[in-house]
Amino acid sequence: MEAELATLAATGATTLVGLMVSEAWNQTRGRLARFFARGDDTALPDEQLAASREELIAARDAADADTAADVEEEWRLRLRRTLRADPGAAEELRLLLDELAPQAAPPAITVHNNISGVIQNGPAIQGQHFSSLTFHSPAVQSPEQGPGTL
């Protein structure tokens, strides 16, 4: 059971830190504060979440991976302590993660496509995911053919 709680705490911390730097943070912050408050006043957990977010953003802006990892580790330990202290918290956290995980920002993907050295006589599509594309274009004459030649 301890390994399961440790895995859940690690997953929760990773999701929490991912949400802190996403656009979904404003919608999820209150729910996370209520989870950590465990029925008490949410002011302190909310302040702690806000402080961690500021620290995390500063660390990411400075490319300080160690500090970012420290923020995640702090929340992993806090989640593990919460799960140990309250047996009902594990199921509540699972449900919360199931709801929040889709809101987490997708990983940033950079695509670089280059077209060079050739003349393109048709569409050039650059991107990541395509399906069921159909293009209809009139026949184009090459510059060497000139008008009136086929």
Side-chain angles (χ1 to χ4, degrees), residues 85-101:
D86 182 355
E91 186 58 29
E92 185 181 343
L93 181 59
R94 282 186 194 94
L95 292 171
L96 187 60
L97 291 176
D98 286 345
E99 291 177 34
L100 298 180

Side-chain angles (χ1 to χ4, degrees), residues 40-103:
D40 293 333
D41 183 25
T42 61
L44 180 60
D46 191 55
E47 289 172 15
Q48 293 167 333
L49 288 164
S52 289
R53 181 176 191 261
E54 289 176 20
E55 186 178 3
L56 184 62
I57 289 171
R60 297 233 172 144
D61 288 346
D64 183 356
D66 290 337
T67 299
D70 289 347
V71 170
E72 184 171 337
E73 179 66 12
E74 287 173 22
W75 286 103
R76 185 188 65 77
L77 291 171
R78 179 150 181 194
L79 279 168
R80 197 169 81 194
R81 285 192 300 270
T82 300
L83 296 173
R84 282 183 185 157
D86 182 355
E91 186 58 29
E92 185 181 343
L93 181 59
R94 282 186 194 94
L95 292 171
L96 187 60
L97 291 176
D98 286 345
E99 291 177 34
L100 298 180
Q103 295 179 29

Side-chain angles (χ1 to χ4, degrees), residues 120-131:
Q120 297 295 321
N121 292 317
I125 307 298
Q126 297 182 335
Q128 185 174 354
H129 300 286
F130 300 99
S131 64

Side-chain angles (χ1 to χ4, degrees), residues 102-142:
Q103 295 179 29
I109 298 173
T110 304
V111 177
H112 295 281
N113 294 320
N114 296 313
I115 299 174
S116 63
V118 296
I119 297 173
Q120 297 295 321
N121 292 317
I125 307 298
Q126 297 182 335
Q128 185 174 354
H129 300 286
F130 300 99
S131 64
S132 304
L133 296 178
T134 304
F135 295 97
H136 301 283
S137 61
V140 178
Q141 293 179 354
S142 70

